[in-house]
C-alpha cells in the first residue's frame, strides 16, 4: 500500500511513498503523463545496475519507449557536459514536448535529470525517482534542478516541478550506511526547523536503541520519511520560489556548504549540514538566543544518529566562503537559526555581523 502526499505548487503533483513501488513506475507515468511515448531514464553507475532494469521494464510494459542515460556516479559529473549528453540523446531519439525524463537515483541524478527536462525543447516533464534517503526527503521535491560550476555548487539551474515523485522505501535497504546516515542530516533538520513531533519520534527511536537499525525498520522509516515529505510539501506550497519561508530549509547549509567545498566534496552534504547545524546552534547559545539545554538536545540527537555536530573550520574561512553563496543578497545573507526545537528564524546579517556570530560558535 502506497501513501500519497500532495504538493501544491505552480504545477501540483503527488509524492508516492511505499515499499516495492518501483515496479509500478510505468502505470504511474501513464496516469500523470498520458501523452508520453518516450522516457529518458537518467541514472548513475551505482544506481543503474540495481534498479534500471526494473524501472525500464515497468515503463515499457506501460507501452512507453524507455531510453537509458547512465553517467559516472559522483558530484563531479554534475556539469553541463553531462546534461548536454542527455539533450543529444533525446534529440537523436526524436523526443517531443509530450515526452519526459525520469531521474532515478540520488540528488545528482535528480538535479541533472530535472535540469535536462527543464531546458530541452524549453521544458518537458520530469518524474523524480529518488533512491537515497537525502533525495527522498529533500532534493527530489520542490523543483530545484541544476548543475555545479567549478567555483561553487548549484550555480546554474531552474525551478522545474516534477510531474510525480516515486519513493520506493525498499531502495533504502541497499543504501550504504554512510549514505543513509548523511540523509539523516536532512531528516533531523526538518525536526529542528519545523517539526517537534518528528523530533520526539526520532528521540524515541534513539531511546529505544533503534537509531542504528532505522534503515531496515520499514514502519518507523516510512513514518519518518512521510513526516519530512509533508514538511517539505508545506514549505513548497507556501514559498515555491525561495523568496521567504523556503529559506528555513537552509538551516546548517550556509556553514555546511563551505565545509563541503573545502573538503573538495570528500565530505558528504548531509554530514556537512549536521556540522553546520551544530556550529550555528553553539553560536546561538553564546549569542544568548538559544537555551543551552535546548542546544544540548539538538546536538545530542545529531550525534545519536551518527553525525558530527562541530568542525575545526575557522570563523574567518567559514564567513569568507559564505560570501560567494548564491543565497546572499547584496551585502547581507539570511542565516537560519533555531532557538527552540521546531521553530526556525531567518536572521539577516551583514558580512561583519555574520563573522562576529560565527566567532561565537567556533570559539577555540
Ligand atoms: N534543498 C532545499 C530546497 O529545496 O529549498
Amino acid at each position: 500500500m502506497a501513501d500519497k502526499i500532495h504538493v501544491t505548487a505552480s504545477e501540483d503533483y503527488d509524492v508516492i511513498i511505499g515499499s516495492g513501488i518501483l515496479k509500478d513506475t510505468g502505470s504511474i507515468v501513464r496516469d500523470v503523463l498520458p501523452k508520453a511515448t518516450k522516457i529518458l531514464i537518467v541514472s548513475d553507475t551505482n544506481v543503474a545496475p540495481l534498479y534500471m532494469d526494473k524501472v525500464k521494464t515497468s515503463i515499457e510494459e506501460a507501452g512507453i519507449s524507455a531510453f537509458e542515460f547512465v553517467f559516472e556516479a559522483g558530484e563531479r559529473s554534475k556539469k553541463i557536459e553531462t546534461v548536454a549528453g542527455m539533450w543529444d540523446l533525446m534529440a537523436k531519439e526524436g523526443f517531443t514536448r509530450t515526452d519526459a525524463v525520469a531521474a532515478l537515483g540520488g540528488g545528482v541524478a535528480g538535479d541533472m535529470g530535472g535540469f535536462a527536462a527543464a531546458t530541452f525543447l524549453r521544458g518537458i516533464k520530469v518524474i523524480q525517482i529518488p533512491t537515497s534517503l537525502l533525495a527522498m526527503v529533500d532534493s527530489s521535491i520542490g523543483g530545484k534542478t541544476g548543475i555545479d560550476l567549478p567555483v561553487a555548487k548549484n550555480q546554474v539551474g531552474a525551478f522545474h516541478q516534477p510531474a510525480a515523485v516515486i519513493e520506493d522505501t525498499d531502495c533504502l535497504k541497499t543504501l550504504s550506511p554512510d549514505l543513509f546516515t548523511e540523509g539523516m542530516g536532512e531528516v533531523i533538520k526538518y525536526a529542528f526547523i519545523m517539526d517537534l513531533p518528528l523530533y520526539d519520534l526520532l528521540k524515541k527511536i534513539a531511546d529505544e536503541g533503534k537509531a542504528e537499525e532505522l534503515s531496515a525498520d520499514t514502519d518507523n522509516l516510512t513514518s519518518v520519511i512521510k513526516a519530512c515529505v509533508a514538511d517539505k510539501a508545506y514549505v513548497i506550497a507556501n514559498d515555491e520560489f525561495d523568496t521567504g519561508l523556503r529559506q528555513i530549509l537552509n538551516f546548517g547549509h550556509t556553514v555546511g556548504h563551505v565545509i563541503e567545498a573545502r573538503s573538495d566534496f570528500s565530505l558528504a552534504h548531509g554530514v556537512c549540514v549536521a556540522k553546520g547545524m551544530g556550529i550555528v546552534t553553539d553560536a546561538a547559545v553564546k549569542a544568548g538566543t538559544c537555551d543551552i539545554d535546548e542546544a544540548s538536545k539538538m546536538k545530542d540527537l545529531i550525534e545519536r544518529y551518527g553525525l558530527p555536530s562541530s568542525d575545526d573550520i575557522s570563523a574567518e574561512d567559514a564567513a569568507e566562503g559564505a560570501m560567494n553563496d548564491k543565497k546572499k543578497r547584496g551585502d547581507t545573507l539570511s542565516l537560519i537559526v533555531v532557538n527552540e526545537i521546531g521553530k526556525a528564524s531567518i536572521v539577516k546579517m551583514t558580512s561583519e555581523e555574520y563573522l562576529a556570530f560565527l566567532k561565537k560558535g567556533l570559539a577555540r
Side-chain angles (χ1 to χ4, degrees), residues 138-139 141-142 144 186 189 232 236 242 246 249-250 253:
D138 183 33
S139 57
I141 310 156
K144 282 192 179 173
E186 296 284 358
K189 177 196 76 180
K232 181 122 191 200
I236 300 307
D242 205 6
R246 189 165 179 169
L249 298 175
N250 292 325
H253 285 58

Side-chain angles (χ1 to χ4, degrees), residues 12-176:
D12 286 17
Y13 52 99
D14 286 325
V15 181
I16 304 149
I17 304 165
S19 161
I21 63 170
L22 275 190
K23 63 173 175 12
D24 304 327
T25 303
S27 58
I28 295 169
V29 173
R30 187 39 73 235
D31 277 356
V32 295
L33 302 176
K35 292 188 181 154
T37 61
K38 293 175 186 157
I39 301 281
L40 180 71
I41 309 169
V42 170
S43 194
D44 72 24
T45 47
N46 289 339
V47 174
L50 298 171
Y51 306 121
M52 179 63 87
D53 284 352
K54 189 180 275 186
V55 170
K56 192 173 178 190
T57 303
S58 172
I59 290 173
E60 286 173 342
E61 282 174 0
I64 302 167
S65 301
F67 301 84
E68 297 178 25
F69 184 95
V70 179
F71 62 87
E72 187 64 38
E75 188 76 27
R76 284 182 207 287
S77 290
K78 205 171 131 183
K79 55 188 181 188
I80 196 65
E81 291 81 358
T82 316
V83 173
M86 300 174 200
W87 293 330
D88 284 347
L89 184 55
M90 289 192 281
K92 187 171 135 272
E93 297 297 346
F95 274 53
T96 69
R97 282 218 173 125
T98 48
D99 297 323
V101 172
L104 172 68
V108 175
D111 283 7
M112 276 201 299
F115 187 57
T119 45
F120 186 70
L121 299 180
R122 299 192 181 85
I124 63 172
K125 300 288 185 188
V126 62
I127 306 285
Q128 293 284 352
I129 312 176
T131 58
S132 72
L133 179 61
L134 191 142
M136 285 186 191
V137 299
D138 183 33
S139 57
S140 67
I141 310 156
K144 282 192 179 173
T145 73
I147 51 164
D148 300 336
L149 292 182
V151 63
K153 278 180 69 167
N154 299 327
Q155 291 285 295
V156 175
F159 286 101
H160 191 56
Q161 298 296 337
V165 183
I166 302 171
E167 305 201 345
D168 185 340
T169 51
D170 287 359
C171 296
L172 300 176
K173 291 183 183 151
T174 56
L175 202 61
S176 73

Side-chain angles (χ1 to χ4, degrees), residues 155-235:
Q155 291 285 295
V156 175
F159 286 101
H160 191 56
Q161 298 296 337
V165 183
I166 302 171
E167 305 201 345
D168 185 340
T169 51
D170 287 359
C171 296
L172 300 176
K173 291 183 183 151
T174 56
L175 202 61
S176 73
D178 282 356
L179 274 179
F180 187 83
T181 300
E182 86 137 331
M184 286 306 296
E186 296 284 358
V187 167
I188 290 169
K189 177 196 76 180
Y190 286 108
F192 292 168
I193 59 172
M194 62 189 293
D195 197 340
L196 185 57
L198 175 60
Y199 169 81
D200 291 336
L201 174 61
L202 293 171
K203 182 173 178 301
K204 179 168 163 285
I205 292 169
D207 287 346
E208 289 170 353
K210 295 183 180 165
E212 276 183 24
E213 63 206 52
L214 182 58
S215 64
D217 178 349
T218 306
D219 286 350
N220 273 327
L221 186 58
T222 306
S223 302
V224 165
I225 292 172
K226 278 166 54 187
C228 296
V229 171
D231 289 339
K232 181 122 191 200
Y234 175 84
V235 170

